[in-house]
Amino acid sequence: MPIVTLRELLDHAAEHDYAIPAFNVNNMEQIQAILEAANAVSAPVILQASRGARSYAGDTVLAALIRSTSNMYPNVPLCMHQDHGNSVATCVSAIRHGFTSVMMDGTLQADGKTLGDYDYNTSVTRETVKIAHMVGASVEGEIGHLGSLETGQGEAEDGHGFEGTLTRDDLLTKPDEAASFVRDTGVDALAIAIGTSHGAYKFSRKPDGETLAIAQLEKIRGRLPDTHFVLHGASSVPESLQDIVTSNGGELRPAFGVPVEEIEACIRLGVRKVNIDTDLRLAMTGAIRRVFTKTPEEFDPRKYLGEARKAMASLCRERFERFGAAGHARGITCLSMDEMARRYTAKTADA
Ligand code: G3H
Ligand code: 13P
Ligand code: ZN
């Protein structure tokens, strides 16, 4: 199965009312675990790499790992996506390395810290769409600012993100602004801010309608009934995974993520791409810690990385099933990037 664009996957997901998990990857075991799980349940999948992941693994290695692992699973349609591209140049370099989709995150300026205003965001996203569509790649844009509705803190993780206090109004995606952003940029998918944030510490307790504003998503959906929405910061941070980490020497503060049933509610309101990184990190770390606790004499990486791979595969499998993606791999028609470029160009000419 060729590596496909985000557009093809999300159009299919919208047609059949399900969502596709977008898992962040940095290394071989993560890629293998995700694809093994996708194959086991016959689900399409999105593998995404942040800028940090690209520089950690190296573009050439990461792209080759994804492509070669994908070759082993010819029945799994896979999209290779740049997560949180900070500039047009980052998005273009991802495409040059074989990514079929990019996120231009213009909610922040290129330094990854300073807020980007509407005009800045629209201008860099529109430019990215113009270039990406010419070569058949898809684009995700974002409007609103991820961060906690409890504390008003913009979120910064690993040096990426606005550090400071934002109003509830700033934090939530505004329906009117979302509608004009989609119209002004031509993005294929839109990331929205409704109170989720990256990392393990999203909420101080199980979220409710005040802290996770699903009602806001409903309003946005009212303005954009045909847009594919993306939910960032969508790890559920399961207690069971936290327990494995903490009972094997790890330290975590009280942590609450987005419960899977809330993600299911978002899927019913048009979320088609669900971003998950933290849960994989927890699954991997917990499994490795457990091996070290049980067998402190162990030093063969295959022993603990093998356990980590199993734990991640089991998490992925559960997410494919709960998001309704299982069983949909075979229904997806895969087009070449050239064909996608032709379609995008024809759409622009018609507009
Ligand atoms: O966007 C956030 C993801 O969790 C990626 O994190 O930049 O540490 O790779 P990262
Ligand atoms: P989590 O930290 O909730 O896994 O979110 C990941 C994400 O949104 C990547 O873009
Ligand atoms: Zn994100």
Side-chain angles (χ1 to χ4, degrees):
M1 186 73 71
I3 295 190
V4 298
T5 63
L6 188 67
R7 183 84 216 192
E8 291 160 87
L9 294 190
L10 300 194
D11 281 351
H12 189 267
E15 199 184 326
H16 298 273
D17 289 322
Y18 68 96
I20 305 176
F23 294 112
N24 283 76
V25 296
N26 300 268
N27 72 2
M28 182 184 81
E29 284 77 10
Q30 293 171 325
I31 296 166
Q32 290 175 330
I34 298 161
L35 281 170
E36 187 194 306
N39 188 56
V41 299
S42 190
V45 66
I46 301 157
L47 296 191
Q48 57 186 8
S50 64
R51 284 196 300 142
R54 288 177 59 189
S55 73
Y56 171 78
D59 280 332
T60 314
V61 171
L62 197 60
L65 269 175
I66 294 175
R67 284 186 176 269
S68 53
T69 315
S70 164
N71 286 340
M72 291 174 61
Y73 297 106
N75 298 320
V76 175
L78 174 152
C79 165
M80 204 169 145
H81 179 78
Q82 162 79 58
D83 190 24
H84 293 285
N86 65 324
S87 65
V88 180
T90 297
C91 293
V92 169
S93 86
I95 295 169
R96 285 185 51 241
H97 280 96
F99 285 67
T100 51
S101 177
V102 293
M103 175 188 191
M104 177 62 240
D105 181 355
T107 64
L108 295 170
Q109 295 185 30
D111 65 5
K113 290 181 190 337
T114 315
L115 293 183
D117 64 16
Y118 180 86
D119 289 343
Y120 171 82
N121 191 357
T122 307
S123 143
V124 287
T125 307
R126 193 194 294 121
E127 176 75 8
T128 306
V129 169
K130 193 172 154 204
I131 298 168
H133 283 186
M134 264 194 264
V135 293
S138 309
V139 180
E140 171 186 337
E142 176 169 323
I143 191 89
H145 296 285
L146 293 191
S148 164
L149 295 174
E150 281 177 275
T151 62
Q153 293 298 302
E155 52 97 56
E157 204 201 21
D158 298 342
H160 177 94
F162 174 74
E163 286 183 68
T165 309
L166 293 167
T167 64
R168 190 176 174 91
D169 196 49
D170 286 333
L171 285 164
L172 292 173
T173 298
K174 299 175 186 67
D176 288 350
E177 212 169 68
S180 47
F181 182 77
V182 168
R183 189 197 56 226
D184 291 349
T185 58
V187 287
D188 298 281
L190 181 71
I192 40 99
I194 56 168
T196 63
S197 53
H198 295 131
Y201 308 106
K202 301 179 194 304
F203 309 103
S204 67
R205 56 179 188 279
K206 197 166 179 282
D208 56 22
E210 271 303 293
T211 52
L212 178 61
I214 294 185
Q216 188 75 9
L217 173 59
E218 207 167 344
K219 290 185 197 154
I220 303 165
R221 164 87 150 171
R223 292 298 313 272
L224 290 167
D226 300 321
T227 298
H228 306 318
F229 299 125
V230 181
L231 191 65
H232 281 250
S235 276
S236 302
V237 196
E239 226 178 295
S240 55
L241 291 184
Q242 295 185 49
D243 287 348
I244 299 173
V245 172
T246 53
S247 59
N248 288 286
E251 287 180 14
L252 291 170
R253 289 186 274 123
F256 290 86
V258 187
V260 177
E261 56 276 16
E262 303 290 0
I263 298 174
E264 289 169 326
C266 293
I267 295 171
R268 290 192 287 276
L269 291 168
V271 164
R272 303 290 163 223
K273 174 173 180 277
V274 179
N275 283 15
I276 298 174
D277 186 352
T278 299
D279 282 352
L280 281 186
R281 294 180 181 194
L282 288 171
M284 182 171 209
T285 302
I288 292 172
R289 281 191 173 278
R290 185 143 69 180
V291 172
F292 288 153
T293 306
K294 277 194 192 153
T295 50
E297 70 283 7
E298 187 57 71
F299 59 88
D300 179 347
R302 292 169 298 188
K303 294 288 179 351
Y304 53 86
L305 292 176
E307 285 304 307
R309 193 164 56 189
K310 270 192 233 159
M312 290 188 285
S314 139
L315 176 106
C316 295
R317 199 177 162 139
E318 200 189 308
R319 295 294 183 270
F320 286 123
E321 283 168 345
R322 292 288 298 269
F323 300 169
H328 280 296
R330 62 184 76 84
I332 293 165
T333 326
C334 300
L335 302 172
S336 67
M337 293 279 279
D338 282 347
E339 177 55 25
M340 283 306 290
R342 265 193 295 278
R343 291 185 181 204
Y344 278 131
T345 315
K347 220 159 102 186
T348 316
D350 287 348

